[in-house]
Amino acid sequence: MIEMVIEARRKDLGGFEVGRVLPFHARRMVGPFIFLDEMGPAEFAPGAEGINVRPHPHIGLSTLSYLFEGEILHRDSTGVTQPIRPGEVNWMTAGKGIVHSERTDPLKKSRGGPMHGMQAWVALPAEAEDVDPSFHHHGEEGQPSYENGGLFARLVAGEAYGARAAAPVSSPLFYVHWELAEGVRTAPPPGRGAGGYAERALYIVRGEVEIGDQIFRGGQMVVLEPTAEPTIKALTPATVMVLGGEPVGPRVIWWNFVSSSQAKIDAAKADWKAGRMTLPKDDDQEFIPLPDVPATPEPAPGPTDPV
């Protein structure tokens, strides 16, 4: 029933802790999901730095930002400036190249407050890797939801349970947010044996859940076997992110770049180092330089992106 359990690797970034889930050395991807971080939870004091991710580039992926608490201000090289708040989705497709920053708005910084959310990268299929960059923001109305008997479920992206979310995905996938009351039982979207998705996993954000005869807790990802059709029972109030989809094939990941081609990674590195990628027009006074290393095995932890 359970193929693997992945423990989030926590790192303190100075008043803000991040848990890296994917990529993992023994499991690089789940469906097209190639990167997953839990941001926080944290409580920023008034005047604290908050989120401060300087402009940096991406290729070959879509990023998906989703918050439980707090707010982040996004700016990118397509000209978009967009805050994201709890229950909303920021879906940014890098394609052939985009530059963005994510920061705490100065007014929010002066007040302080909580921050907790998830950041995911979705690898683009080969035919979409070189599309023009784009950005889409979706409020709660763009994400179908269901609530009954102690279960709240929101379809953040993709298709599941007969519904489709608004985010413009490029390959078959699903990403669901569950809030479970104690004792609630539910099930993930069906797997390959039932005509569903080839790869599926659950990330427990908080609380305890039972799958089969095993108990899992906050900070653990449970990767399901392709044909498993488990029932999930909440032993305590729990928050769970359920994700998966169809594989898009092997991918090279280096710093903030994802591609099916090492040559494209190398070209993106050269473009960023030479200053050929445009910075966001409202955030162009600084940027994150290219790492001065020949290779990195996986992205370095950062508040919402590798930095």
Side-chain angles (χ1 to χ4, degrees):
M1 181 180 294
I2 294 169
E3 184 176 298
M4 182 180 299
V5 179
I6 301 172
E7 299 278 350
R9 288 91 69 202
R10 306 293 295 185
K11 182 170 182 178
D12 188 348
L13 301 178
F16 187 76
E17 196 170 69
V18 169
R20 171 64 43 80
V21 187
L22 294 175
F24 182 59
H25 67 88
R27 183 76 190 217
R28 306 298 288 178
M29 302 172 70
V30 175
F33 288 85
I34 196 166
F35 171 94
L36 188 71
D37 262 7
E38 180 184 357
M39 308 176 287
E43 182 71 32
F44 295 125
E49 183 69 16
I51 302 295
N52 188 29
V53 182
R54 295 168 290 160
H56 58 282
H58 291 286
I59 65 165
L61 55 79
S62 292
T63 65
L64 193 165
S65 300
Y66 183 78
L67 299 182
F68 307 118
E69 295 183 287
E71 180 177 316
I72 298 174
L73 183 63
H74 164 99
R75 296 185 179 96
D76 69 44
S77 53
T78 71
V80 169
T81 297
Q82 176 65 57
I84 179 174
R85 301 178 179 92
E88 301 175 345
V89 166
N90 275 3
W91 179 272
M92 183 184 76
T93 296
K96 60 187 178 183
I98 198 168
V99 180
H100 78 133
S101 65
E102 291 178 294
R103 307 194 190 249
T104 299
D105 181 89
L107 180 58
K108 298 289 184 181
K109 188 182 296 187
S110 68
R111 295 174 178 172
M115 174 57 61
H116 193 198
M118 304 295 299
Q119 176 79 8
W121 289 1
V122 179
L124 294 173
E127 65 272 15
E129 284 187 301
D130 293 322
V131 299
D132 290 334
S134 62
F135 178 88
H136 296 83
H137 174 82
H138 300 285
E140 294 185 44
E141 69 281 356
Q143 304 162 67
S145 62
Y146 169 85
E147 188 166 11
N148 186 46
L151 165 67
F152 171 80
R154 174 182 287 134
L155 180 61
V156 177
E159 294 186 53
Y161 307 115
R164 176 184 293 180
V169 302
S170 299
S171 66
L173 64 88
F174 69 92
Y175 193 38
V176 178
H177 170 197
W178 284 345
E179 291 291 337
L180 308 173
E182 182 179 345
V184 167
R185 296 174 183 267
T186 189
R192 185 168 60 194
Y197 290 101
E199 299 183 359
R200 298 164 297 154
L202 302 94
Y203 178 67
I204 297 94
V205 178
R206 69 176 183 98
E208 294 186 356
V209 301
E210 184 179 68
I211 305 174
D213 59 356
Q214 298 184 62
I215 297 173
F216 302 97
R217 299 173 174 82
Q220 293 182 309
M221 170 178 273
V222 180
V223 181
L224 299 173
E225 293 180 343
T227 59
E229 299 298 336
T231 296
I232 287 80
K233 179 182 178 181
L235 302 180
T236 68
T239 301
V240 180
M241 302 302 290
V242 194
L243 63 145
E246 299 303 313
V248 294
R251 287 295 181 270
V252 181
I253 181 170
W254 189 90
W255 192 43
N256 300 313
F257 304 137
V258 169
S259 181
S260 60
S261 163
Q262 182 62 52
K264 290 180 180 179
I265 297 281
D266 293 340
K269 290 160 64 174
D271 286 344
W272 184 244
K273 190 171 184 178
R276 291 190 290 265
M277 299 178 76
T278 303
L279 298 174
K281 66 181 180 68
D282 294 326
D283 194 352
D284 60 1
Q285 299 304 300
E286 58 179 347
F287 60 88
I288 300 173
L290 192 76
D292 187 22
V293 292
T296 53
E298 65 177 58
T304 58
D305 278 336
V307 295

